[in-house]
Amino acid sequence: MKNSLSQSVEDFRKLMVQAEIQLNPGFHAVCFILDPNKMADVNKQFQPFMEFFEDFASDYAFIIMTHTNNEAECERHVPTKSDPKGAGITSLFRYCKDKALFIDNRASQKDQMIQVILTFIDSANAAKSIPHYSSRFKDQAVAADAALQEQLRREREAFDAYRREIENQEKNKRSCSIM
């Protein structure tokens, strides 16, 4: 899910909750795609995701560095921690617990690189006690939906009881008018 910088925080949260509800039992990875040629707005671009998930999803968070062959090349692109321009990038790497994967967009074997990325994510998740992440927002949404369903059930029962009462009154009026 791509974050539009012009999107309101509330709209963003609604979209994220909706996405989480649709992922059953939960998502397996949050991948932050970084292009080393476009790293100026990393903080603005990814901060809403990190704030939304807080630290709850960091075990499932990965960086995928595009246009990059390996870790050494990645480190050349990433500003050092002392560089103020790199604060957003540094916080993203910290959030993802330095789990960075690489894909060279110019390579002919992108399928193999994608397979390596997916295998790495699967292996990392297999080592966890729960291989998927389901947030408190999904739990809240499920609970809210259950409460709504219960309210609708009660309202249907009340409506049915009211309808039966009216039908019984109509029957009584008809039976009284015959006599």
Side-chain angles (χ1 to χ4, degrees):
M1 174 177 291
K2 186 175 178 180
N3 178 27
S4 167
L5 297 177
S6 63
Q7 198 171 38
S8 78
V9 172
E10 187 57 33
D11 287 342
F12 174 74
R13 290 179 68 77
K14 284 179 186 176
L15 286 172
M16 292 301 294
V17 169
Q18 184 180 21
E20 271 196 84
I21 290 170
Q22 293 173 359
L23 295 171
N24 189 12
F27 62 83
H28 295 270
V30 174
C31 295
F32 296 98
I33 312 298
L34 287 180
D35 180 340
N37 304 311
K38 301 175 184 176
M39 294 178 45
D41 65 346
V42 167
N43 202 30
K44 288 181 193 171
Q45 189 176 10
F46 298 124
Q47 194 63 36
F49 288 94
M50 293 187 295
E51 287 173 4
F52 177 81
F53 290 117
E54 297 175 347
D55 286 334
F56 299 111
S58 64
D59 284 341
Y60 302 89
F62 302 86
I63 293 171
I64 299 177
M65 183 70 79
T66 64
H67 304 284
T68 307
N69 289 317
N70 54 43
E71 192 169 347
E73 192 174 329
C74 174
E75 288 178 9
R76 282 198 307 270
H77 293 301
V78 177
T80 64
K81 291 179 180 167
S82 61
D83 185 350
K85 293 184 293 187
I89 296 164
T90 301
S91 68
L92 181 62
F93 271 84
R94 192 176 319 118
Y95 181 83
C96 295
K97 298 181 179 178
D98 292 321
K99 295 183 305 268
L101 304 161
F102 317 99
I103 188 163
D104 183 1
N105 298 50
R106 297 168 300 239
S108 59
Q109 293 93 4
K110 285 186 205 91
D111 290 345
Q112 290 173 336
M113 287 184 230
I114 292 169
Q115 188 62 42
V116 167
I117 290 169
L118 295 175
T119 301
F120 181 88
I121 291 170
D122 285 345
S123 297
N125 286 346
K128 296 176 184 119
S129 59
I130 300 174
H132 61 274
Y133 171 79
S134 180
S135 83
R136 64 200 183 284
F137 299 110
K138 180 177 178 181
D139 296 339
Q140 288 171 359
V142 168
D145 186 54
L148 176 63
Q149 293 303 319
E150 177 61 21
Q151 179 183 350
L152 290 173
R153 183 191 63 75
R154 280 192 238 129
E155 288 174 359
R156 264 192 303 276
E157 286 177 359
F159 177 77
D160 288 344
Y162 181 68
R163 188 186 52 169
R164 283 191 300 273
E165 184 180 319
I166 290 173
E167 288 171 352
N168 287 337
Q169 288 175 357
E170 289 295 316
K171 281 182 190 177
N172 289 339
K173 283 182 186 178
R174 281 187 288 224
S175 64
C176 290
S177 63
I178 295 177
M179 292 186 184

